Amino acid sequence: MSLPEKRDSDSAHSPSSDEKKLGVEAGGFETHGHGDLGPDPDAGLSEEEKAKIVSGLTDEVKSSPAQAQKLTSLAQDRKLLWKLDLRLIPWLCLLYLISFLDRTNIGNARLIGLEDSLNITGGQYNAALSLFFVSYSLSEPLTNILLKRLRPSIFIPAIMVAWGIVMTTMGLVHNFSGLMAARFFLGLAEAGLFPGINYYLSCWYRRDEFGIRAAIFFSAAAVSGSFGGLLAAAIGNMDGVGGKRGWSWIFILEGLATVLIGIASFWMVFDFPDEATFLSDVDRQRVIRRLKADQQSSAEHEEFQMSYFWASVKDWKTWLYAVIYMGCDGPLYAFSLFLPTIINGLGYKSTEAQLLSVPPYAAAAILTITIGYIADRTRQRGLCNMGVSILGIIGFAMLLSAKSPGVQYAGTFLGALGIYPCISNTITWVSNNTEGVYKRGVTMGFVIGWGNLNGVVSSNIYLKRDQKSGYRTGHGIVFSYLVLFLLGGSALQYVLLRRENKKRREGGLDHLTVGKTEKEIEAMGDVRYVTFYLLHRGTPNPKKF
């Protein structure tokens, strides 16, 4: 039995006009792998119901029962996707917006007197930033296992309430020790949200549907940058209210909002597809059937075994993806934590710097969603990473070399455009190429955890003493991350996966399945197939590689 491979959009039939009306891609109707796909949720529909669903399509469909059945199923799938999107995506975006706002608002608080009030130095401020990433990163690899075991509807709201309480108390600290303790526990509590939700979404959507949704979800980080600047400028005017400084009110009010949203999340966050209460039995069958057809083990009731953990540790892709992710995540935190400081260093006052930080984030949010859409359609996540990273490289080259504040401010736009889209695109790339519920969860934990550990570096590269030189040290380190790790790592992964796919096309890995049953082959996870954008069975088109 040969190992299955990726089929890209040109290797099957071209979509008919009726398929295009429903948004199907070429070859989109074929179902492969996972043996028994389970009951067909459309089997009980009457002919009248099927006719109503595909009404308005051509006479060719009416004379072809098989084609009509396919289009009926696709139309039902589209209705289901719309239902999933409305119930899952908006609230999860809100949660991540709050999360990113809470971890980066310290950069806004710095501009309105945090250091002076607590009598701390620039080095101590950077140490407080670093400590967050230590607890955050070390906790991440295990959080997806906890998410699976405790259920999303319990785990996600619980950690939100926890970090909301910590954030509120951060507004009450009086010295450096209190700030350090609050940052440590904030990192510990927040660690489960980003990898958890990406993993959670990957258990609901097919691989070619996941990218755009991960991009929309992550765009909340860019929106939080815009929103955070505006909010900080407004809350800063509360300076002196209740005997508290403006920076204290930023932490207190945003922390209380997080607690309230966390409590609401006990009713707004749902469990995995096989247990989600908002799905009917028919919809639940359809979700699970679609995941099985997409060769996803998230459709199965997989039990945790340590072998899944070690499978992730021993997989070379895990560590190269970690390098790629550090190439965008290190710059992300440097940018988000210090953008107000960078703009302030260009000669703009505190409030002006807060407001001028808004447009680059807004532009980044738009491009993040655009790249998610393009990557899903082209299935070329590696090439998208490489292309977008060049924008960031140009942006930080402008920050390094230009003297004009206007040109440097333009560089912050390109910097944001080159960083933010690569975060969600890389996470989707990892998810697409890692199979097995627990292995995917552990791998995403390692990748995201290692990327976030580089926040320790990011927290210590923009130093007060470098302000007169235009923060050349910080800009230079970010520039190096983008060139070596993001662009270089993406190019290397692209080449290595292309070589792996060539082996599979030529049968060089067929020996791995000799003598194995289909169930045993299924248990091999992504060892049985790998590609550098999305994964499906079928015959790949070499021209697309």
Side-chain angles (χ1 to χ4, degrees), residues 315-322 433-434 439 493 497 526 530:
D315 191 342
W316 60 269
K317 298 192 302 297
T318 297
W319 306 111
L320 187 48
Y321 277 130
N433 284 335
T434 310
K439 183 187 176 184
Q493 185 78 301
L497 291 178
D526 58 86
V530 63

Side-chain angles (χ1 to χ4, degrees), residues 91-92 95 99 135-136 138-164 185-201 217 258-259 261-272 275 441 445 448:
W91 192 258
L92 296 179
L95 301 192
S99 168
S135 59
Y136 187 94
L138 294 179
S139 304
E140 278 186 312
L142 298 177
T143 55
N144 282 344
I145 295 175
L146 290 175
L147 174 70
K148 180 70 175 175
R149 293 207 160 188
L150 297 180
R151 298 165 37 201
S153 62
I154 299 297
F155 179 75
I156 292 174
I159 64 173
M160 282 203 71
V161 171
W163 95 61
F185 286 107
L186 183 65
L188 196 64
E190 277 203 41
L193 189 77
F194 184 65
I197 290 183
N198 275 286
Y199 166 61
Y200 172 71
L201 287 176
F217 166 67
T258 299
V259 171
I261 292 172
I263 292 172
S265 294
F266 282 103
W267 290 272
M268 297 299 294
V269 173
F270 302 97
D271 290 323
F272 291 105
E275 296 178 338
I448 296 172

Side-chain angles (χ1 to χ4, degrees), residues 4 9 20 29 81 90 94 129 131 133 143 158 200 263 324 343 345 418 512 530:
S9 58
K20 289 177 180 177
F29 288 123
L81 276 178
L94 174 63
L129 298 185
L131 191 59
F133 292 106
T143 55
Y200 172 71
I263 292 172
I324 296 169
I343 295 175
L512 296 175
V530 63

Side-chain angles (χ1 to χ4, degrees), residues 117-184:
S117 294
L118 300 183
N119 195 28
I120 62 176
T121 65
Q124 289 176 316
Y125 170 80
N126 290 341
L129 298 185
S130 301
L131 191 59
F132 169 90
F133 292 106
V134 173
S135 59
Y136 187 94
S137 303
L138 294 179
S139 304
E140 278 186 312
L142 298 177
T143 55
N144 282 344
I145 295 175
L146 290 175
L147 174 70
K148 180 70 175 175
R149 293 207 160 188
L150 297 180
R151 298 165 37 201
S153 62
I154 299 297
F155 179 75
I156 292 174
I159 64 173
M160 282 203 71
V161 171
W163 95 61
I165 293 171
V166 173
M167 174 57 57
T168 303
T169 60
M170 200 157 82
L172 306 176
V173 300
H174 299 287
N175 51 41
F176 174 62
S177 298
L179 181 64
M180 289 287 281
R183 292 294 292 181
F184 176 85

Side-chain angles (χ1 to χ4, degrees), residues 19 45 86 91 173 180 247 281 288 298 302 322 466 491 501 525:
E19 292 171 344
L45 293 176
L86 289 179
W91 192 258
V173 300
M180 289 287 281
W247 65 264
D281 289 340
I288 293 173
S298 50
E302 186 176 87
D466 293 333
N501 285 334

Side-chain angles (χ1 to χ4, degrees), residues 4 9 20 35 39 50 163 230 244 260 299 320 328 347 379 395 408 479 527:
S9 58
K20 289 177 180 177
K50 292 179 182 179
W163 95 61
L230 293 171
K244 296 290 182 185
L260 294 176
L320 187 48
C328 50
R379 299 174 171 86
Q408 289 183 305
F479 180 85
V527 173

